[in-house]
Amino acid sequence: MGHRHKVNQISRSAFKVNILLLLLAANLFTSVMADPLLVGIFPRRDAVVTANLFRPLTRYLQEQLQRPVNLELSPNYDIFLERLQKRHYDLVHMNQLEYINAHEKLGYDALVQNEEFGEKTIRGAIYVRRDSGIRQLEQLRDKKILFGGGPRAMMSYIVPTYLLRQAGLEAGDYQETYAINPPNAVLSTYLKRTDAGGAGEVVQRLPMVTKKINVDELAVIAVSEPLPHLPWAVKEEMDDDLKTRLKNLLLGLKASPQGEEILRQARLSAFNPVDDEDYDSHRAIIDAIHAP
């Protein structure tokens, strides 16, 4: 009897182990077979830099969520917008204008926002060279202004244009041109290729700028009030549990050494909570200059 009892015990133990292995295998299969979570990043920087910044983050999300997470890069803004309009992305990082439009027309909800250089807000600015003799916005009449993006660039076009309107300068009072990205507007101002540049105030502190020029030779002659930072948004129909997990993972990065390293690589100091209403100040500026 004792021998038979031990055999039965072994059989029951083996059965439990097999069930556990089957459950683990099923969970792994489900994770592998789950649709990839597509993460989109607006082309604030070139694609190579963007990939280096955010691949550690998407790898971390994949590990924590136990499902495929794909980083989708766009070579230019038009392709990014085309994919956004098709609701291609599940989680998407974009500027404030695109978020406002995506929320109202495409069904995206703000999840978190950036914190950069320890700052929870961001400001638009207009740059000139210190030796240009230009001290006030009014002096830019009939001058060339290079904006760090086209009319859809929130901090590099819309906010600087709002500053110009506040100073009494209207469309046609200056020559308007566009750079491929915000750093190029600042670099071109330094190199005297333009009389002034429009870009975020933070751009002058980016390594891709400070490593190339002496920013002390630049002056900011106008800067906006602090505005809510760049958002990350998800589709409104995303499963609530997945939304919560994503939000908690992003907000929690600053609480661990691994998370801090991921943030450092992405040139962020943290992610912070955000609500749609936080972008009402941006809405007022967009309406004031009739932005697209």
Side-chain angles (χ1 to χ4, degrees), residues 184-204:
N184 279 3
V186 175
L187 294 172
S188 294
T189 302
Y190 175 86
L191 295 171
K192 300 182 180 181
R193 295 172 181 168
T194 181
D195 297 302
E201 183 275 335
V202 71
V203 172
Q204 63 184 322

Side-chain angles (χ1 to χ4, degrees), residues 109-123:
D109 293 332
L111 189 73
V112 296
Q113 64 177 345
N114 283 6
E115 178 180 309
E116 299 180 9
F117 298 99
E119 298 172 2
K120 298 180 180 180
T121 56
I122 192 169
R123 298 183 292 172

Side-chain angles (χ1 to χ4, degrees), residues 53-72:
L53 293 182
F54 293 106
R55 279 212 174 103
L57 174 62
T58 52
R59 283 197 295 263
Y60 173 77
L61 293 177
Q62 179 166 288
E63 292 168 2
Q64 296 299 314
L65 296 173
Q66 295 186 348
R67 63 178 291 172
V69 177
N70 294 346
L71 177 61
E72 298 268 329

Side-chain angles (χ1 to χ4, degrees), residues 42 90 153 216 242 245:
F42 79 112
D90 299 301
D216 290 337
L242 180 55
R245 292 186 67 195

Side-chain angles (χ1 to χ4, degrees), residues 196-239:
E201 183 275 335
V202 71
V203 172
Q204 63 184 322
R205 290 178 272 163
L206 297 178
M208 65 178 63
V209 172
T210 58
K211 290 179 179 179
K212 293 179 180 178
I213 64 172
N214 178 9
V215 294
D216 290 337
E217 295 185 28
L218 295 173
V220 173
I221 60 170
V223 64
S224 73
E225 65 183 46
L227 296 163
H229 222 299
L230 296 164
W232 295 68
V234 294
K235 291 178 179 176
E236 62 183 3
E237 72 271 18
M238 179 180 283
D239 178 75

Side-chain angles (χ1 to χ4, degrees), residues 142-201:
D142 298 323
K143 300 292 187 181
K144 178 180 177 181
I145 304 176
L146 180 65
F147 295 93
R152 305 188 75 90
M154 188 73 209
M155 305 311 299
S156 296
Y157 177 85
I158 294 173
V159 174
T161 297
Y162 176 75
L163 294 173
L164 291 166
R165 298 292 182 270
Q166 293 294 99
L169 293 176
E170 300 295 331
D173 289 341
Y174 51 88
Q175 182 184 350
E176 183 174 296
T177 56
Y178 312 118
I180 192 171
N181 56 41
N184 279 3
V186 175
L187 294 172
S188 294
T189 302
Y190 175 86
L191 295 171
K192 300 182 180 181
R193 295 172 181 168
T194 181
D195 297 302
E201 183 275 335

Side-chain angles (χ1 to χ4, degrees), residues 128 133-141 164 167 169 221-222:
V128 298
I134 299 172
R135 301 290 181 266
Q136 299 176 357
L137 290 178
E138 292 81 357
Q139 293 176 270
L140 291 176
R141 190 177 300 274
L164 291 166
L169 293 176
I221 60 170

